[in-house]
Amino acid sequence: MAAQRENTKIESRLFINGKFVESSDKKTFRLLSPSTREVVAEVSEASTQDVNTAVAAAKAAQPSWAALSPPERGAYLRKFATLMREHMQDLAYLEAISMGRPVRDYIDGFVGARLWEWFSEAGWAIHGSTSLNSPGMVGMTLLQPYGVAAGIIPWNAPVIFFSSKAAPALACGNAVIIKSSEKAPLTSAFLATLAEKAGFPPGIFNIIHGHGTTSGAALASHMDIRTLSFTGSTATGRSISIAAAKSNLKNLHLELGGKSPAVVFDDADLESAASDTQFGIGWNAGQICMANSRIYVQDTVADKFINIFKEKWGNVKIGNPLDNEVGLGPVADSLQFEKVNKYIELGKSSGAKVILGDKPVQRSQLNDGYYIPATIFGEIPEDSKTMKEEVFGPVVCINIFKTEEEVIQKANDTEYGLYAAIFTTNHSRALRVAKAIQAGTVGINCSAPTNLPDLPFGGYKSSGIGREGMIHSMRNYLEEKSIMTKL
Ligand code: NAI
Ligand code: MG
């Protein structure tokens, strides 16, 4: 990835009904670079009126979009994917300057483009079923688009979530409104310029920016939005559920937080377990829903594992995300910075051992950015907040266990259930533990962010409702109708 992209055009307006517009009340919000705290952009803040305008445009345009054949709709998606592939460096650059993602580890554009390519062909897979089980009757089901779909996305991997919501919604014949996160709107705004180039019919694909309490809440309670997919915090998932319940009971898909355990048994390949789990918490400075933020290592190999882990993470270079050698950038903004530091303080006062990261980063040395050192806690009480809650920063807790039964109980002692990792060379144990763990995704001898694009991804317990992933995403955007006919 190029370290400097001075030619990247920064778009920061709303894309509604096929046009770039400022917000109706001209309000903007300021986006700061987390690595320098300099102003990067003044971004249009969508008002409730802007949401209403986008929904009305979407509602008017959707029937003729749904009437197109799968390859006719797919051609637009294919074009969009091609444009994305041509602009990877712009996307990487914009994410680095808005939320601090190191360009070295930028994969989101590639993951996103692959989704657009897949969904460009997927319209053919929309099939209902038939039934001949009732004498004298024939039954069939139709799968039809909901109409207007909305996607509300977070800031940690915006292009992936933008794509995993917009592409299936459009492929299924819906019109869509995507709201970016106020912490990282620039890649979504850039993708809007690609949507314009791809030539989507006006109103079919709307992209707005702004805070959750205004435009996010307006989408969640809108009477004409019939399905909404959200990725973000569990707290906001609850607010959206309440807003949906109080308005039109829209269909919801929620992908929420995590506190994912990784379990390392004594027969595991320790080098690769340490490597994978270090990347699992280190990637994107730990700001990933599925990050393995709790690691349980078996007592007999604990010292050895912790030493390898500590050495690997200690060697990751911290600094400017535009520097090709940097693996640990700043956290997204001042709120994230305060929140993660609070959990570090809580970890220290809980009596945990600080294995790595005992000193804060000298901010003056790194342009006053929101840098947090790679932090490892050991022997942390299982009931401490740092061990229980989603920290969303470069902080990992490594505790020791003795037996399989004990570690299953500890791994499951959480309200979250998004992802879990198991490291062992004993195949039956791997599957036995995978079966016992309450999580929507389990990696055996691999950890987050490893994820197969065609498997269903989603949470057990408070980590969410519903699933996403290639064919599995399509159910979030299709309503099912039963038709029966008397012979
Ligand atoms: P958030 O969940 O509040 O924001 C995510 C998206 O929801 C943003 O687009 C936001 O504008 C929107 N939103 C916020 N309130 C809303 C509402 N009432 N109605 C509709 N939309 C709303 O997360 P935020 O504030 O960006 O980060 C706070 C914490 O949430 C993080 O520290 C982290 O712990 C957690 N988080 C977890 C994520 C995950 O993937 N598990 C992703 C992002 C944040
Ligand atoms: Mg928030």
Side-chain angles (χ1 to χ4, degrees):
M1 287 297 165
Q4 210 64 45
R5 296 281 306 168
E6 258 124 35
N7 297 330
T8 302
K9 184 176 171 284
I10 296 186
E11 178 55 74
S12 59
R13 291 170 297 168
L14 314 174
F15 186 64
I16 297 177
N17 203 15
K19 290 200 174 59
F20 282 96
V21 292
E22 292 179 354
S23 42
S24 53
D25 55 12
K26 304 282 178 249
K27 262 201 192 157
T28 59
F29 64 93
R30 183 162 282 188
L31 185 73
L32 302 183
S33 155
S35 34
T36 60
R37 292 198 281 168
E38 285 161 358
V39 179
V40 168
E42 294 284 348
V43 182
S44 295
E45 165 91 51
S47 63
T48 302
Q49 193 190 313
D50 295 320
V51 169
N52 291 339
T53 306
V55 176
K59 194 178 173 186
Q62 187 267 337
S64 44
W65 177 250
L68 297 178
S69 68
E72 284 168 333
R73 284 197 299 274
Y76 294 95
L77 278 73
R78 166 71 55 176
K79 180 127 193 251
F80 187 80
T82 305
L83 289 162
M84 263 179 92
R85 289 205 182 269
E86 286 166 12
H87 289 282
M88 287 305 162
Q89 295 199 348
D90 298 299
L91 294 170
Y93 171 72
L94 291 171
E95 224 67 279
I97 62 167
S98 53
M99 55 71 73
R101 166 73 64 79
V103 290
R104 191 195 78 170
D105 299 331
Y106 190 74
I107 57 161
D108 307 30
F110 300 95
V111 175
R114 182 174 62 189
L115 286 172
W116 285 93
E117 282 153 5
W118 192 83
F119 283 109
S120 75
E121 304 281 343
W124 288 116
I126 301 170
H127 276 239
S129 58
T130 56
S131 163
L132 299 176
N133 294 330
S134 303
M137 304 289 287
V138 174
M140 69 171 96
T141 65
L142 306 186
L143 294 176
Q144 294 175 296
Y146 277 95
V148 182
I152 300 181
I153 63 172
W155 43 269
N156 51 344
V159 174
I160 296 179
F161 299 123
F162 181 106
S163 304
S164 67
K165 299 186 188 326
L170 291 166
C172 292
N174 300 274
V176 70
I177 297 147
I178 298 290
K179 190 195 90 60
S180 67
S181 160
E182 62 279 10
K183 289 184 169 68
L186 298 186
T187 44
S188 295
F190 187 86
L191 292 175
T193 69
L194 304 188
E196 187 185 40
K197 284 194 189 130
F200 284 94
I204 287 303
F205 197 178
N206 306 277
I207 296 151
I208 64 172
H209 321 293
H211 287 78
T213 42
T214 40
S215 51
L219 290 169
S221 61
H222 205 291
M223 293 301 289
D224 286 334
I225 291 174
R226 293 293 170 187
T227 186
L228 187 153
S229 171
F230 168 73
T231 298
S233 63
T234 295
T236 298
R238 276 185 219 283
S239 307
I240 290 175
S241 302
I242 292 168
K246 286 189 174 165
S247 55
N248 62 350
L249 283 168
K250 53 182 64 62
N251 180 63
L252 289 181
H253 162 250
L254 305 173
E255 202 262 274
L256 310 174
K259 191 74 187 176
S260 302
V263 179
V264 182
F265 286 99
D266 57 7
D267 60 352
D269 174 339
L270 293 185
E271 183 68 34
S272 104
S275 222
D276 283 14
T277 52
Q278 185 276 301
F279 190 70
I281 187 68
W283 186 59
N284 207 23
Q287 303 166 113
I288 288 293
C289 49
M290 52 179 153
N292 50 243
S293 49
R294 295 184 290 151
I295 299 177
Y296 292 102
V297 56
Q298 204 155 16
D299 51 358
T300 49
V301 295
D303 288 344
K304 195 167 170 208
F305 174 84
I306 290 170
N307 284 335
I308 308 172
F309 190 103
K310 178 182 173 181
E311 183 171 345
K312 284 187 191 296
W313 212 10
N315 283 333
V316 172
K317 186 175 171 191
I318 184 167
N320 185 345
L322 290 170
D323 175 341
N324 270 317
E325 307 213 315
V326 160
L328 179 57
V331 294
D333 68 356
S334 62
L335 292 173
Q336 234 7 67
F337 185 72
E338 280 160 28
K339 181 182 160 189
V340 178
N341 277 318
K342 182 195 83 182
Y343 280 113
I344 290 177
E345 285 316 311
L346 283 169
K348 286 178 180 165
S349 59
S350 75
K353 201 163 119 191
V354 183
I355 297 171
L356 185 70
D358 46 355
K359 280 187 222 75
V361 175
Q362 287 301 313
R363 291 176 68 181
S364 54
Q365 282 174 6
L366 284 172
N367 287 325
D368 268 350
Y370 297 117
Y371 291 96
I372 294 179
T375 303
I376 307 175
F377 285 118
E379 296 166 34
I380 185 161
E382 286 287 324
D383 62 355
S384 78
K385 281 189 189 301
T386 310
M387 188 63 171
K388 278 266 167 289
E389 297 175 9
E390 186 174 52
V391 175
F392 232 57
V395 178
V396 72
C397 299
I398 308 184
N399 272 354
I400 295 170
F401 73 95
K402 281 193 163 62
T403 67
E404 184 180 312
E405 200 185 8
E406 172 198 353
V407 80
I408 291 170
Q409 184 275 323
K410 285 179 168 164
N412 285 338
D413 186 18
T414 169
E415 216 3 68
Y416 290 117
L418 193 59
Y419 194 106
I422 301 161
F423 291 87
T424 176
T425 47
N426 177 332
H427 192 63
S428 346
R429 172 153 69 189
L431 288 180
R432 195 165 58 230
V433 178
K435 189 176 155 209
I437 281 192
Q438 296 156 353
T441 295
V442 180
I444 296 173
N445 294 321
C446 61
S447 187
T450 305
N451 190 29
L452 307 186
D454 60 339
L455 289 185
F457 184 79
Y460 271 40
K461 303 195 271 189
S462 300
S463 284
I465 298 176
R467 295 292 181 269
E468 232 172 10
M470 291 189 169
I471 196 91
H472 311 282
S473 297
M474 294 174 83
R475 276 305 171 108
N476 301 323
Y477 304 98
L478 292 167
E479 185 66 284
E480 189 160 31
K481 178 184 288 170
S482 292
I483 299 183
M484 68 215 85
T485 180
K486 210 185 237 177
L487 297 178

